[in-house]
Amino acid sequence: MLGRPHDAAALLRECAQCGARKQSVCSVVEDEDLARLAVHSQHLVIQPGQAFIAQDEPAEEFFIVTGGQVKLFTLMADGRRQVTGFVRQGSFLGLAAQERYVFTAEALTEVHLCRFTHVGMKLLTAQFPALEQRLLLEAARELILAQEHMVLLGRKTALERLASFIMQRVEDCGGQPEITLPMTRTDIADYLGLTIETVSRMLNMLRRDGLIEIKNITRIRVIDRPGLAIRAAGERSGALM
């Protein structure tokens, strides 16, 4: 994990040029006030495979992903792993944490982060009342995403889960039909509550139906988006669990 020096001018430039600015809490802070925001943050670069949040560690900080993609997972008492999410630019991590983190966050690609301490953010919310409201909205969004994942695991078939996963990735990429999947097939299987064999079988089924093209292990092109949406919604799927 690399931290950048607390040079006020450099931090201000990075905040002003940040690609996640419009999506993050910073969006409620005017350009002329960015300097006050910047002094409470630290910019980090995380290499692929490195963790920057560890499950059960004290939750003293939270992070904004300003670039790259991150995998979230939880280890259960018996040693099994549950992947709980994949997040990208603009996402908040650790915002809803109380005393300890309940998940581990690991970089899938090179990840750029903006790190805030909870103490520093309290000082900022006192200066910028709109910031507190924005933080509450993001905390609520975290809960909604958790509920959606529960529905995905509990109510959908294997084919519906995978189709929903691909559709979400397309939406995350701004509707672009070709998507990159930096996570492994094992990661996808753990996230969807399936086996690797089932994930491979469902991918091949979607390919045979002419809905997607598998370009290589990390790239998929959606050919028939309406048809894929139908599979995700559970119509005419006929998929086996």
Side-chain angles (χ1 to χ4, degrees), residues 70-76 80-86 104 108 149 153 165 183-184 186-193:
V70 176
K71 171 178 67 181
L72 310 179
F73 63 90
T74 299
L75 291 177
M76 293 180 280
R80 287 180 297 166
R81 184 189 72 160
Q82 174 65 58
V83 175
T84 55
F86 302 103
T104 295
L108 287 169
H149 190 224
L153 295 179
F165 174 74
M183 66 290 293
T184 66
T186 300
D187 289 338
I188 296 173
D190 285 349
Y191 176 67
L192 298 177

